[in-house]
Amino acid sequence: MGTVDGEADWGLVAQMRTFVESQDPSAKETDDYTLRRFLRARDLDIEKGSSLFLKYLKWRRHAVPNGFISESEIQNELPQRKLFMQGLDKAGRPILVGLAAKHDYSKRQIDEYRRYVTYFLDKACARMPTGKEKFICIADFKGWTFAHFDTRAYLAAVEIMQLVFVEDKKLQETLLEEIDENQLPEIYGGKLPLVPIENA
């Protein structure tokens, strides 16, 4: 099995494309970088990567029947101003910021929340420079209390994406290892004001 790095052999991606297009013709609309993300998510195993991708297409048709989530479909979530889209880190990946304490459990409707997470990820992917496959998300728990705890919402988010939480007392120093000061949000000692996700 080859590797899929830099200017590597894209043969595995081509094989995966042949298979997934034979199973679902709508896969033809997907670019090679997206297929590569699914392939890498399954350790370059074509069968497992293809299975994951085909499940994603099926989910997408059901969850996003219009092909996108409109702001009118998430009108209770957007005013909470809990997600922000910043610049790019040193590796050229989009930077997102989530403020957990801004989540209002009393206004949450689970189907709308799922649409909101999808909207958020679509915005991140749309900002993804060609050749990049990841984005950085700063999940900020400052001010978060058990009053904000929402098990159903967190499980819904985990269903859609993988989350990794890191606690670091040297937050600014750690963030500056990955993000230039002019791209780092002001609330973390940088120079860039927060940009609400809908304005990105």
Side-chain angles (χ1 to χ4, degrees):
M1 199 176 275
T3 60
V4 187
D5 289 316
E7 295 182 24
D9 179 7
W10 286 82
L12 294 174
V13 174
Q15 290 175 48
M16 181 175 169
R17 176 173 292 287
T18 298
F19 178 74
V20 296
E21 287 181 3
S22 72
Q23 301 298 306
D24 187 334
S26 72
K28 292 177 181 176
E29 300 170 17
T30 304
D31 63 51
D32 285 344
Y33 290 104
T34 299
L35 290 180
R36 185 170 76 166
R37 280 197 296 271
F38 282 88
L39 188 59
R40 284 182 166 179
R42 290 298 178 259
D43 297 320
L44 305 181
D45 184 306
I46 294 171
E47 183 178 337
K48 290 179 180 177
S50 296
S51 176
L52 181 63
F53 176 72
L54 291 168
K55 285 178 185 174
Y56 162 77
L57 287 182
K58 183 178 179 181
W59 167 82
R60 184 93 189 170
R61 274 192 293 274
H62 172 73
V64 193
N66 298 324
F68 66 95
I69 302 295
S70 70
E71 292 176 9
S72 64
E73 295 177 86
I74 51 175
Q75 56 190 338
N76 293 316
E77 294 291 335
L78 284 177
Q80 295 177 40
R81 292 285 193 258
K82 55 189 169 184
L83 293 176
F84 301 85
M85 179 79 72
Q86 299 307 113
L88 303 174
D89 74 357
K90 293 177 182 178
R93 298 170 296 197
I95 303 166
L96 295 93
V97 176
L99 304 179
K102 296 279 189 174
H103 177 68
D104 188 343
Y105 173 78
S106 69
K107 295 181 180 177
R108 192 264 298 141
Q109 296 172 358
I110 199 65
D111 289 337
E112 180 183 5
Y113 183 79
R114 284 191 178 102
R115 290 192 298 271
Y116 183 60
V117 172
T118 303
Y119 172 87
F120 166 71
L121 292 173
D122 283 353
K123 284 274 196 176
C125 290
R127 296 257 337 269
M128 198 84 66
T130 301
K132 299 297 177 186
E133 300 175 349
K134 298 179 180 180
F135 56 84
I136 286 188
C137 184
I138 301 168
D140 188 332
F141 284 87
K142 184 177 182 179
W144 184 90
T145 66
F146 281 106
H148 301 103
F149 190 75
D150 187 348
T151 304
R152 288 193 70 200
Y154 299 146
L155 290 175
V158 170
E159 284 175 15
I160 298 171
M161 62 182 179
Q162 295 179 354
L163 301 175
V164 178
F165 296 97
V166 177
E167 182 179 355
D168 193 335
K169 293 179 181 177
K170 298 181 179 178
L171 182 62
Q172 183 179 1
E173 180 182 329
T174 301
L175 292 173
L176 286 171
E177 289 176 11
E178 300 289 333
I179 304 168
D180 285 325
E181 187 179 26
N182 65 341
Q183 295 292 301
L184 186 66
E186 288 176 336
I187 62 172
Y188 305 118
K191 297 182 177 179
L192 192 65
L194 285 176
V195 179
I197 191 77
E198 66 272 23
N199 296 339

